[in-house]
Amino acid sequence: LRRLCEREQWPRQDLEALAAELDVLIDGAIERLNDEAFESCEEPLAEGDDPLYIDKRVGEELLG
């Protein structure tokens, strides 16, 4: 979450590099973070595919 919130948008290639670095499946991680964002903020953290747009305000609230 902290790494995603470093930028407001992520090209797919950069997301895949980040996922490899963190050893996670990026689509699953984003889905889980969005689920948490909807529960806490009633809006998504991330939208789109290429690029992926990050709502930094939602991210900051989740990082709390």
Side-chain angles (χ1 to χ4, degrees), residues 30-62:
I30 290 169
E31 182 177 344
R32 183 165 179 181
L33 290 169
N34 269 345
D35 288 346
E36 183 66 30
F38 274 114
E39 286 182 29
S40 299
C41 308
E42 298 182 359
E43 53 190 312
L45 168 71
E47 293 184 289
D49 186 47
D50 191 6
L52 180 78
Y53 295 95
I54 302 296
D55 186 328
K56 293 181 97 174
R57 183 189 53 77
V58 171
E60 289 172 7
E61 190 169 328
L62 290 175

Side-chain angles (χ1 to χ4, degrees), residues 4-32:
L4 281 177
C5 289
E6 290 174 359
R7 301 185 194 178
E8 291 185 0
Q9 74 179 42
W10 287 83
R12 187 69 187 188
Q13 182 178 4
D14 291 358
L15 274 175
E16 290 171 359
L18 177 62
E21 178 184 325
L22 299 175
D23 197 29
V24 298
L25 298 173
I26 196 64
D27 291 327
I30 290 169
E31 182 177 344
R32 183 165 179 181

